[in-house]
């Protein structure tokens, strides 16, 4: 987990409220990713970024938006949280588009 | 769309025994990666094998790749209780470079 942090680590919120999760890295890596992990589905890519202000959709992007205004920060926003977005969210970073990814400790989000 | 599927879903062995996990995938790949996840933690990269490689070693880990069968295996030799974790394969595809597709994982329990 060294070099990559996520905040908050735990969050409980209500349906319909906006939620922003933050991923912060100190490795100056170009690529950053947001995944969600659910039982029976493994990890699924939500969005990723290949540079400041450059982002693209992943496999399960509906209901999520991202922003990257600085190399070190990648924000994931749920504009209006739903119960189906209850999950564990992981941020990952990579210095090489085809290389290994380094994962943060995760954020457990519960939407009531 | 799950690219990788691990087999078995769960594995329980005694300390000192070898553990073998298999991963099958559906489309061509740039590389295949194996990750470990301890309970409640983020994923940790173990090993990356490229499509033109057949076998790779790292300490007690041995990974094989058979692109004709679209399958890979992870062998952990002389297992230890500390190897208890979930293991995931992930594929990087030429059509979606950088967007890893994860399998659902194999849960390994090593009994002391």
């Amino acid at each position: 987990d060294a070099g990559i942090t996520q905040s908050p680590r735990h969050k409980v919120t209500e349906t319909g409220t906006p939620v922003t999760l933050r991923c912060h890295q100190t490795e100056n890596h170009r690529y950053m990713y947001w995944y969600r992990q659910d039982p029976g589905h493994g990890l699924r890519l939500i969005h990723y970024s290949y540079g400041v202000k450059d982002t693209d959709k992943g496999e399960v992007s509906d209901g999520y938006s991202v922003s990257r205004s600085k190399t070190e920060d990648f924000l994931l926003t749920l504009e209006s949280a739903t119960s189906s977005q209850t999950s564990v969210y992981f941020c990952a970073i990579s210095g090489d588009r085809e290389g290994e990814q380094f994962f943060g400790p995760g954020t457990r989000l519960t939407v009531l | 769309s799950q690219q990788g599927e691990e087999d078995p879903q769960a594995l329980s062995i005694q300390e000192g025994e070898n553990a073998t996990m298999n991963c099958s995938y559906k489309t061509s790949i740039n590389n295949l990666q194996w990750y470990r996840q301890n309970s409640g933690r983020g994923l940790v990269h173990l090993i990356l094998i490229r499509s033109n490689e057949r076998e790779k070693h790292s300490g007690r880990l041995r990974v094989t790749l058979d692109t004709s069968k679209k399958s890979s295996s992870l062998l952990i030799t002389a297992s230890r209780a500390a190897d208890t974790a979930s293991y995931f394969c992930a594929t990087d595809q030429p059509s979606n470079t950088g967007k890893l597709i994860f399998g659902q994982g194999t849960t390994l329990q090593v009994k002391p």
Side-chain angles (χ1 to χ4, degrees):
Chain A
D1 295 355
I4 178 169
T5 57
Q6 294 183 230
S7 60
R9 295 292 313 279
H10 301 270
K11 186 170 182 67
V12 179
T13 191
E14 294 189 350
T15 297
T17 60
V19 175
T20 295
L21 308 183
R22 180 184 183 232
C23 177
H24 179 77
Q25 60 145 330
T26 58
E27 306 296 324
N28 200 36
H29 281 340
R30 177 179 177 184
Y31 301 95
M32 299 186 74
Y33 308 84
W34 277 108
Y35 294 91
R36 61 178 288 174
Q37 185 175 32
D38 305 287
H41 289 280
L43 273 83
R44 292 179 292 175
L45 182 66
I46 304 171
H47 282 281
Y48 78 103
S49 170
Y50 45 94
V52 174
K53 298 190 189 307
D54 289 324
T55 64
D56 199 358
K57 296 179 179 179
E59 182 184 359
V60 288
S61 59
D62 287 348
Y64 302 94
S65 62
V66 290
S67 66
R68 189 167 178 204
S69 58
K70 298 185 290 184
T71 298
E72 56 265 36
D73 290 324
F74 192 31
L75 304 180
L76 177 70
T77 296
L78 291 66
E79 301 290 346
S80 177
T82 67
S83 59
S84 64
Q85 293 175 312
T86 292
S87 187
V88 181
Y89 291 86
F90 287 99
C91 176
I93 63 175
S94 178
D96 178 357
R97 191 170 67 147
E98 293 183 27
E100 62 182 297
Q101 295 184 13
F102 302 92
F103 282 77
T107 294
R108 183 173 294 276
L109 175 67
T110 302
V111 183
L112 302 176
Chain B
S1 56
Q2 294 298 132
Q3 163 76 319
E5 294 186 3
E6 280 100 336
D7 170 60
Q9 290 189 346
L11 181 60
S12 181
I13 60 175
Q14 294 294 134
E15 208 165 25
E17 295 180 340
N18 295 341
T20 299
M21 287 158 269
N22 302 296
C23 171
S24 60
Y25 58 92
K26 298 175 183 175
T27 65
S28 61
I29 60 171
N30 291 325
N31 63 65
L32 186 145
Q33 304 179 31
W34 285 92
Y35 288 82
R36 184 188 75 231
Q37 184 180 34
N38 291 88
S39 181
R41 305 292 296 273
L43 278 73
V44 174
H45 183 267
L46 295 176
I47 200 163
L48 181 154
I49 186 164
R50 301 193 186 284
S51 60
N52 60 352
E53 298 175 312
R54 292 297 168 258
E55 188 170 311
K56 210 161 183 181
H57 296 255
S58 177
R60 293 184 296 112
L61 305 181
R62 172 178 171 253
V63 168
T64 61
L65 178 65
D66 186 334
T67 53
S68 66
K69 295 181 179 179
K70 292 186 172 56
S71 67
S72 174
S73 67
L74 170 67
L75 169 67
I76 303 174
T77 60
S79 63
R80 306 166 180 168
D83 294 327
T84 294
S86 293
Y87 293 81
F88 296 88
C89 68
T91 53
D92 184 81
Q93 305 159 67
S95 58
N96 269 313
T97 300
K99 297 182 181 180
L100 290 181
I101 303 295
F102 284 83
Q104 296 185 25
T106 293
T107 299
L108 173 65
Q109 181 185 30
V110 182
K111 301 175 184 177

